[in-house]
Amino acid sequence: MTTRRTRVAVALAVVAAVSATTVATVRGYRRQVAKIAAATHDLSRSRRAESELHDRLVAARATTAAARAATAAHEHGVRNEDASTRRVTDLALAASRDTDDARRTLRLSSLERVLLGVSADQARTCVRTEHAAMRHILDSDRAAAAADLNAGAGSCSNALAGATGARFPYDFPDPFVLRVGSRYYGFSTNAGAGDVQVITSTDLVDWTLVGNALAALPAWSKAGATWAPSVLHLAARPAAKAVPAVPAKPGSPATPAVPARPARHEQYVLFYTVNDAASGAQCVSSAVSSAPAGPYHDDSTAALICDVVDGGSIDPSPFIDRDGSMWLMWKRERAVQPATIRVQRLGDDGRSLVGTTTDLLVTGRAWEHGVVEAPSMIRVGDAYFLFYAGGVWNTATYATGVARCDTPTGPCHSYRLPVMVGDGTVVGPGGAEVFRDGDGGIWLAYAAYVDPFIGWPYSRTFRLAKVTIDRRGVTVTPE
């Protein structure tokens, strides 16, 4: 019995030992499988990382190659640009040395060549002539290159004018626009066409050159600087009937008859700035014509306005109120006093001043840089709006401001900021004059430079801007 129990115990012990070994083996196997799976996962991840690294390396190599190619292309472009610049310089030198006629053509053109109306044909003609001139330069034929430039001057000027918004392609500073019926007349500071340049249009788009509006300068003046012209239109007026004499009271001498008001034919008064030979100051004078385009004749023996002590008077501009009263504004220079815009009433003849002088505006805004000039007034409703220029005329600081006035003699309150400034391409917009078109729309005629050609001797070209005046204020939108 004991032996049997012993055998059973031994058998159970053997089974238990075998089971324990089997369990341990299974657990070990599972651990190995888990390790293999983890190793396989790590290997897969490693391979993916290696693949990504390889892709990045390929991309980096491609980027490096592209950068090298771009660098080479840039260096090649710089070399080409340098060569091109040298060619353009050669072209300019050739034109300068071999053709004074080309430069004269750019400033003084026939009536046909100053007609605006930019078209694709003009642009193509401009490009073709420039390319032809370039080819001639490369062939060392400077005379032929100059001839090409001369032939294409009109097309290139018109194309440039159209591309920058100018309405006339040549120098036309301080413009003033007068509407007579359905026709407009533009006047400007002296330049290629004479002392007072005049152009004309029927649609404010196409302008033709008329020539010099001023027949001759007065004897007291000195030639060389005739600035900022403006025109006052005086309508025809019939003669008034004489009032018969009426005794003041019985037995007293008869009251003299009131003289008849003389008849007046339609005429135009041109105001302009001219140099006074005696003092050297800039002064305001006037001339008369029976036609809006002139010729205007100045028979004066002395200046109409000349603040000599303060350095002179410039930029005259007339204004006619609803009641028919006529006023003249101008700028008093700043030798002693600050720059000031002044106004005084005009006499019935439009050429004399009556009453007292009033200061409308004195410089004081930061953007004005100590300058207020080029006044121009319009009435809208019961308010008067005085447009003026501030800044330095031959720099990009020049701009146009506005002040709201209670009456033609003020008081006037200027807006804090200008209403028209440069846009980065067209700069220094100023010397503006306000006018109405045939439909009552309000416009500003002004001049500006094209960057980077700023300051003398570069041209200030003639431009127009639409004006909106409402409860929100004054908005100026260049065309």
Side-chain angles (χ1 to χ4, degrees):
M1 191 68 174
T2 302
T3 304
R4 185 179 180 183
R5 287 180 180 173
T6 302
R7 290 176 180 172
V8 171
V10 171
L12 288 174
V14 170
V15 170
V18 171
S19 298
T21 302
T22 302
V23 170
T25 301
V26 170
R27 288 177 178 172
Y29 174 74
R30 287 178 178 173
R31 283 196 297 271
Q32 290 299 321
V33 169
K35 289 181 180 180
I36 292 171
T40 302
H41 177 73
D42 291 343
L43 179 62
S44 177
R45 186 169 59 184
S46 177
R47 286 176 177 173
R48 285 199 303 272
E50 183 180 358
S51 178
E52 290 176 2
L53 182 61
H54 178 268
D55 291 343
R56 290 179 183 176
L57 181 60
V58 171
R61 287 173 178 171
T63 301
T64 302
R68 288 173 178 170
T71 301
H74 174 71
E75 292 174 350
H76 181 67
V78 169
R79 289 194 296 272
N80 285 345
E81 183 180 357
D82 289 342
S84 213
T85 301
R86 287 194 297 272
R87 290 174 184 174
V88 171
T89 302
D90 289 342
L91 183 63
L93 290 174
S96 175
R97 284 193 298 264
D98 298 337
T99 85
D100 287 337
D101 289 340
R103 291 196 301 275
R104 283 196 293 270
T105 302
L106 284 169
R107 295 186 62 82
L108 290 173
S109 177
S110 65
L111 294 181
E112 292 80 7
R113 295 185 68 175
V114 298
L115 285 170
L116 270 178
V118 178
S119 66
D121 288 340
Q122 283 182 319
R124 282 193 291 269
T125 299
C126 179
V127 171
R128 280 198 300 268
T129 55
E130 288 181 343
H131 285 180
M134 183 67 73
R135 286 194 296 271
H136 288 309
I137 283 295
L138 294 176
D139 294 336
S140 299
D141 191 346
R142 293 180 175 177
D148 285 333
L149 287 178
N150 191 41
S155 295
C156 290
S157 295
N158 285 346
L160 174 63
T164 62
R167 295 299 173 94
F168 189 68
Y170 303 106
D171 194 39
F172 207 78
D174 307 314
F176 177 92
V177 172
L178 171 72
R179 181 176 65 86
V180 180
S182 61
R183 183 168 288 276
Y184 300 89
Y185 297 87
F187 302 82
S188 90
T189 286
N190 63 284
D195 293 318
V196 175
Q197 300 185 112
V198 59
I199 57 178
T200 185
S201 172
T202 57
D203 59 7
L204 296 177
V205 176
D206 297 327
W207 294 81
T208 57
L209 177 66
V210 177
N212 186 3
L214 191 60
L217 293 175
W220 55 268
S221 69
K222 182 174 66 175
T226 46
W227 301 347
S230 59
V231 177
L232 174 67
H233 181 193
L234 297 176
R237 183 189 61 211
K241 293 181 179 179
V243 179
V246 176
K249 59 183 179 179
S252 66
T255 300
V258 177
R261 195 180 189 190
R264 181 179 67 199
H265 299 290
E266 182 178 40
Q267 64 180 11
Y268 302 85
V269 179
L270 170 74
F271 298 99
Y272 66 103
T273 305
V274 66
N275 194 278
D276 176 39
S279 66
Q282 291 290 320
C283 305
V284 174
S285 190
S286 66
V288 178
S289 175
S290 59
Y296 287 83
H297 300 274
D298 188 343
D299 58 359
S300 64
T301 57
L304 174 64
I305 307 167
C306 196
D307 296 306
V308 175
V309 174
D310 287 308
S313 307
I314 64 173
D315 299 345
S317 180
F319 168 71
I320 302 179
D321 206 351
R322 288 179 188 167
D323 61 3
S325 60
M326 300 182 295
W327 305 85
L328 186 67
M329 295 167 290
W330 69 92
K331 174 201 178 180
R332 179 185 66 179
E333 290 283 27
R334 52 178 180 166
V336 177
Q337 304 295 330
T340 307
I341 292 175
R342 317 188 86 179
V343 65
Q344 192 168 348
R345 188 162 182 166
L346 284 166
D348 188 61
D349 61 355
R351 298 187 70 187
S352 59
L353 295 171
V354 296
T356 59
T357 301
T358 303
D359 291 344
L360 281 178
L361 198 66
V362 178
T363 181
R365 301 292 188 187
W367 69 267
E368 296 166 355
H369 296 274
V371 176
V372 289
E373 60 188 21
S376 182
M377 182 174 283
I378 190 171
R379 181 171 178 173
V380 178
D382 293 329
Y384 300 80
F385 293 88
L386 174 66
F387 291 87
Y388 68 97
V392 183
W393 69 270
N394 58 352
T395 72
T397 68
Y398 211 45
T400 298
V402 68
R404 183 180 176 126
C405 306
D406 296 341
T407 72
T409 57
C412 297
H413 312 280
S414 63
Y415 286 29
R416 186 172 62 87
L417 296 174
V419 292
M420 183 168 59
V421 297
D423 63 5
T425 299
V426 177
V427 297
E433 283 280 357
V434 62
F435 69 97
R436 291 185 184 271
D437 61 22
D439 297 323
I442 304 175
W443 295 80
L444 277 183
Y446 68 100
Y449 294 106
V450 176
D451 186 68
F453 307 106
I454 304 171
W456 191 90
Y458 299 115
S459 295
R460 285 179 287 167
T461 45
F462 170 49
R463 302 164 188 278
L464 294 175
K466 288 185 177 179
V467 179
T468 301
I469 300 177
D470 53 28
R471 292 180 179 179
R472 293 172 295 180
V474 178
T475 302
V476 177
T477 308
E479 287 283 283

